[in-house]
Amino acid sequence: MEAVLRGRLKREQRTGDAVVVGDRVLVDRQEDGKHTIEGVEPRRTELARRAPGSGGRRAKVVVANVDQLVAVFALARPAPRLRLLDRFLVVAESSGMEAVIVANKTDLADPARAAAGIDPEEARATQAGLEGYAALGYQVLRTSVTEGEGLEELRARVCGRVTVFAGPSGAGKSSLLNALQPGLALRTAEVSEAVGKGRHTTVSSRLIPLDCGGYVADTPGLRELGLWGVEPGDLDQCFPEFRPYLGQCRFSRSCTHTHEPDCAIAGAVEAGRVSGARLESYRKLLAGDDAR
Ligand code: GDP
Ligand code: ZN
């Protein structure tokens, strides 16, 4: 239903993000038949982007209550950049969302099917790299749109929930969305196209309903999403495998895990308990020098 903001919420909305897409709100019906938003329920999760005009210092919430982020990467064409995956995972952790990793185009790892110019051996190594994230507690789904692999698992994972899809261009997001529900990718593309026409600061997020229940969150400018609300001192908590070591560095919680002596995370990397590439991702993100 159409509803307008009133009073305190209306004043807050002018300066901030008092009510955003995905919020659960309390609506009242006025005597003239119009509806007003009277209250907003506490958010389970918040996805934020850089607030316009703040020089990147302030975060603005663009969608609330998204349950999970599905990070889609292909085994090849394009080969995944794990740095980007790490960035998506931090976005999910810092926003309070669950993260699921999709290793798509598994058909390319099959020597009998692999396309010309693709080394199935390399594709298998890439697949193993993505599956390594399962040890950190993330669900990793293997999918192939062409072979129909893993699509039921993906469906089971997104139906009834609010999901945001992320991944580099060409990884197979549109193909997967269309496999889940024909026409779904088209609906997200409509907004993307509008974004391309220069309305990118005003086009807002939307939730596209799934026939099986739940929604896909379409958030323009996903590249802008994420780390704007994360305090540097909290970034290490967004790496789940670091958590057992936090507070154990010589400088305790003030250690930035970049150069300090007796850093417990660096020690864990040396002992082979934490991946050096993940620590490198953390350091890059901390320095604001992340892979886009
Ligand atoms: P998006 O940019 O992430 O939305 O990627 P698209 O869905 O447009 O897919 C990019 C290309 O990869 C298209 O040519 C698809 O047909 C192809 N593609 C998508 N999924 C698969 C897959 O599982 N296997 C193979 N071999 N190709 C795929
Ligand atoms: Zn440390």
Side-chain angles (χ1 to χ4, degrees):
M1 66 180 66
E2 199 173 310
V4 295
L5 290 167
R6 269 204 334 181
R8 177 182 64 81
L9 282 173
K10 187 169 182 181
R11 282 193 301 278
E12 284 178 18
Q13 186 73 348
R14 245 179 273 138
T15 49
D17 35 33
V19 185
V20 301
V21 171
D23 267 325
R24 300 193 64 87
V25 297
L26 234 88
V27 169
D28 197 18
R29 191 166 186 273
Q30 304 301 305
E31 275 162 19
D32 59 6
K34 294 199 172 124
H35 294 94
T36 53
I37 296 175
E38 301 290 333
V40 184
E41 286 193 10
R43 293 169 182 158
R44 282 177 293 115
T45 71
E46 290 184 331
L47 208 47
R49 61 173 286 166
R50 177 172 41 172
S54 74
R57 259 176 290 281
R58 260 194 21 250
K60 183 173 170 61
V61 177
V62 288
V63 57
N65 298 318
V66 174
D67 296 310
Q68 57 184 359
L69 180 144
V70 173
V72 181
F73 287 87
L75 298 193
R77 277 192 188 157
R81 287 184 301 135
L82 296 185
R83 206 70 79 201
L84 183 63
L85 170 57
D86 288 339
R87 185 168 180 278
F88 288 147
L89 295 176
V90 167
V91 168
E93 295 284 344
S94 67
S95 317
M97 301 182 291
E98 287 183 46
V100 181
I101 299 167
V102 169
N104 189 35
K105 309 196 189 183
T106 53
D107 51 288
L108 300 181
D110 180 350
R113 295 182 199 278
I118 304 252
D119 180 358
E121 195 93 32
E122 213 167 287
R124 271 201 299 280
T126 302
Q127 182 167 328
L130 288 170
E131 286 177 347
Y133 281 81
L136 311 181
Y138 297 109
Q139 185 180 10
V140 185
L141 291 177
R142 278 181 299 235
T143 62
S144 166
V145 179
T146 50
E147 301 295 311
E149 186 193 1
L151 299 179
E152 278 316 305
E153 286 86 342
L154 182 61
R155 179 187 303 277
R157 182 73 210 200
V158 300
C159 290
R161 302 189 197 203
V162 184
T163 306
V164 63
F165 279 78
S169 174
K173 296 178 299 297
S174 315
S175 308
L176 287 165
L177 287 172
N178 276 333
L180 290 172
Q181 181 173 312
L184 189 56
L186 194 70
R187 295 200 56 193
T188 64
E190 283 164 17
V191 168
S192 308
E193 200 182 322
V195 172
K197 284 174 185 153
R199 293 200 282 135
H200 62 282
T201 48
T202 50
V203 169
S204 54
S205 310
R206 9 168 246 177
L207 296 177
I208 303 170
L210 291 166
D211 295 340
C212 61
Y215 298 86
V216 169
D218 192 33
T219 42
L222 191 68
R223 285 168 180 282
E224 301 272 286
L225 284 181
L227 304 178
W228 312 106
V230 187
E231 292 294 324
D234 294 335
L235 185 63
D236 52 10
Q237 293 172 57
C238 296
F239 288 71
E241 75 273 39
F242 292 5
R243 287 176 200 148
Y245 304 101
L246 299 180
Q248 293 184 25
C249 305
R250 186 200 285 189
F251 296 120
S252 189
R253 289 296 288 128
S254 69
C255 184
T256 63
H257 324 301
T258 53
H259 61 277
E260 295 89 344
D262 297 326
C263 168
I265 311 278
V269 169
E270 262 172 50
R273 291 195 196 92
V274 164
S275 133
R278 289 272 292 169
L279 179 54
E280 195 54 34
S281 283
Y282 160 83
R283 288 173 172 168
K284 287 235 155 79
L285 287 168
L286 190 68
D289 174 25
D290 57 322
R292 298 252 178 113

